[in-house]
Amino acid sequence: MGEDNADELRELGEQLQDASTVLQVQEIRNAWLGRKGIITARLKGVALLPVEERRQAGQQWNSVRLAIETMIDDALARLQNQEEILQLEQERLDMTIPGIEPAVALLHPLTRVRRLVEDVFLRMGFTLSYGPEVESEWYNFEALNIPPNHPARDMQDSFFVDIPNLVLRTHTSPVQIRGMQAAAGQLPVKIIAPGRVYRRDDDPTHTPMFHQIEGLVVDHKISLADLQGTLLAMTKDLLGSDIRTRFRPSYFPFTEPSMEVDVTCAACNGTGCRVCKGTGWVEILGSGMVHPVVLRNGGYDPKQVTGFAFGLGIERLAMRIFELDDLRLLYQNDLEFLSRFSRYTGRPAL
Ligand code: DAH
């Protein structure tokens, strides 16, 4: 490379140094390597040289061109990087600025109540578990000690599906079996299972689709006292520490012994009114000690472990919390009605 090439490269270097934007570098590239560029002209000039000199001059200018390209590419990369950093600086987001609360999209009261209940149990160390809404008869009935022809099947008033052996689940209890199977012998099993359930009912206190939350605890030496303590903690947490709770003996095929839990009616504070049909109490859940057959169907040995279970009606609880006497109001999508409950935080004491 001759002396004049070195001068040219130096000059280019200076131009590139002075360039502060990608655009300027692109202009420089044009001036040197473009169709009418300095180097292009030199390369064209090679063709006019005497034959003996062409080869060497051609090689020389080509390597100058390569060097120039490298310099320009480097400058471009440097500036692009700088411009990116600058852009990022300018577009910096302050993630700590509070968001704008949208005027729409209130949580439905049932969603609110479900989340409150979930929250109570998650704080007690339960984990969430889910099962299908179209369920096999085995999970929905047999596995839960409800044999074919058992009167409980009639009680449940199921929606059967055209495909044999399938029902719309009538309760969330099948998730007890699925949860135990998924735990595969591990202890403790400590799950809650929220979801939709379906029964052929339709009146002011029953809709064909409604929501339950199932709970299941299986471990060594789980007792009825654990069940009662857990449920008392829940009712106090959800409904306030003044709430009175009543445990009533009951019957379910999948628990032994079984009990139902009532809380004082919110509408009349326990004195008796239309909402509680004069009794002062409203039922919110069924529960009991897990039946040995159910433990076995979940893959656990009833001689080694015991468990308790409960099934809570979310609508029932919502009616209790919001003092509703007609459950169907919750399903009419009346925004005025639904938004009445939008500020409810579930902390009656506060
Ligand atoms: N599955 C019952 C129902 O839908 C509710 C229930 C009762 C669930 C007792 C339980 C339980 O887990 O132990 O009526």
Side-chain angles (χ1 to χ4, degrees):
M1 214 177 280
E3 192 45 39
D4 51 342
N5 302 148
D7 281 349
E8 265 145 353
L9 291 183
R10 201 173 308 115
E11 190 194 330
L12 172 66
E14 278 162 18
Q15 287 184 6
L16 289 174
Q17 282 258 297
D18 291 345
S20 58
T21 66
V22 170
L23 200 70
Q24 282 170 357
V25 175
Q26 275 159 353
E27 275 163 9
I28 294 171
R29 167 182 295 204
N30 230 348
W32 288 77
L33 302 174
R35 228 160 18 93
K36 296 191 175 142
I38 300 169
I39 299 303
T40 320
R42 295 295 167 89
L43 276 166
K44 278 185 192 151
V46 169
L48 307 174
L49 291 174
V51 171
E52 327 79 71
E53 290 174 30
R54 260 184 233 167
R55 203 174 121 86
Q56 210 216 337
Q59 279 176 354
Q60 190 182 335
W61 283 111
N62 256 328
S63 61
V64 172
R65 196 185 52 160
L66 279 177
I68 290 177
E69 273 174 2
T70 312
M71 285 169 74
I72 289 179
D73 284 346
D74 287 352
L76 266 182
R78 174 174 56 84
L79 284 175
Q80 264 162 358
N81 199 10
Q82 273 177 13
E83 284 185 11
E84 249 173 54
I85 291 172
L86 200 71
Q87 194 177 4
L88 283 177
E89 280 290 325
Q90 283 166 352
E91 291 176 0
R92 179 190 292 262
L93 287 181
D94 183 351
M95 305 300 273
T96 64
I97 293 176
I100 299 166
E101 196 179 341
V104 291
L106 299 174
L107 289 182
H108 191 280
L110 290 176
T111 305
R112 231 164 250 282
V113 171
R114 172 177 54 82
R115 289 194 185 175
L116 287 170
V117 179
E118 286 173 2
D119 190 51
V120 171
F121 286 105
L122 292 178
R123 276 186 279 122
M124 289 197 247
F126 285 69
T127 53
L128 283 163
S129 197
Y130 298 94
E133 288 172 31
V134 181
E135 185 55 283
S136 78
E137 288 189 55
W138 188 80
Y139 278 106
N140 197 77
F141 298 121
E142 271 99 325
L144 292 164
N145 200 32
I146 315 174
N149 307 320
H150 189 285
R153 288 211 178 179
D154 213 61
M155 242 165 60
Q156 304 263 14
D157 263 333
S158 314
F159 286 107
F160 286 88
V161 177
D162 277 350
I163 303 164
N165 305 319
L166 289 184
V167 283
L168 296 189
R169 67 178 178 189
T170 58
H171 51 182
T172 43
S173 302
V175 189
Q176 288 187 32
I177 305 292
R178 292 182 175 278
M180 281 189 277
Q181 288 177 339
Q186 303 265 74
L187 290 172
V189 180
K190 203 170 169 192
I191 54 171
I192 51 168
R196 295 189 190 93
V197 301
Y198 302 84
R199 288 185 207 170
R200 298 170 59 130
D201 280 332
D202 207 358
D203 64 49
T205 52
H206 297 89
T207 47
M209 186 283 295
F210 60 105
H211 300 79
Q212 292 187 331
I213 295 190
E214 193 77 13
L216 172 72
V217 174
V218 178
D219 204 349
H220 296 292
K221 299 199 167 100
I222 294 295
S223 72
L224 196 68
D226 295 315
L227 171 58
Q228 291 189 317
T230 306
L231 295 179
L232 275 177
M234 179 202 71
T235 53
K236 284 195 192 309
D237 200 326
L238 283 175
L239 302 168
S241 47
D242 292 342
I243 191 74
R244 276 177 297 135
T245 305
R246 173 168 86 166
F247 297 95
R248 240 179 332 103
S250 182
Y251 172 76
F252 300 100
F254 33 90
T255 44
E256 180 57 38
S258 305
M259 60 188 202
E260 277 169 288
V261 175
D262 302 335
V263 292
T264 40
C265 174
C268 63
N269 214 1
T271 55
C273 66
R274 197 165 52 100
V275 175
C276 56
K277 301 194 182 84
T279 64
W281 297 96
V282 286
E283 183 210 319
I284 55 164
L285 61 86
S287 65
M289 299 305 293
V290 182
H291 196 287
V293 166
V294 174
L295 286 172
R296 217 173 286 126
N297 284 333
Y300 285 81
D301 179 357
K303 291 202 190 71
Q304 304 287 323
V305 297
T306 50
F308 70 72
F310 58 88
L312 184 147
I314 298 183
E315 277 79 356
R316 283 292 160 83
L317 198 58
M319 288 175 81
R320 167 63 177 71
I321 290 175
F322 301 129
E323 299 177 31
L324 309 176
D325 55 8
D326 191 342
L327 171 62
R328 291 173 297 193
L329 289 170
L330 291 169
Y331 291 107
Q332 284 163 358
N333 276 349
D334 176 346
L335 255 190
E336 197 282 318
F337 170 78
L338 294 175
S339 58
R340 267 185 233 167
F341 312 110
S342 66
R343 300 274 162 233
Y344 182 73
T345 60
R347 291 284 170 276
L350 300 180

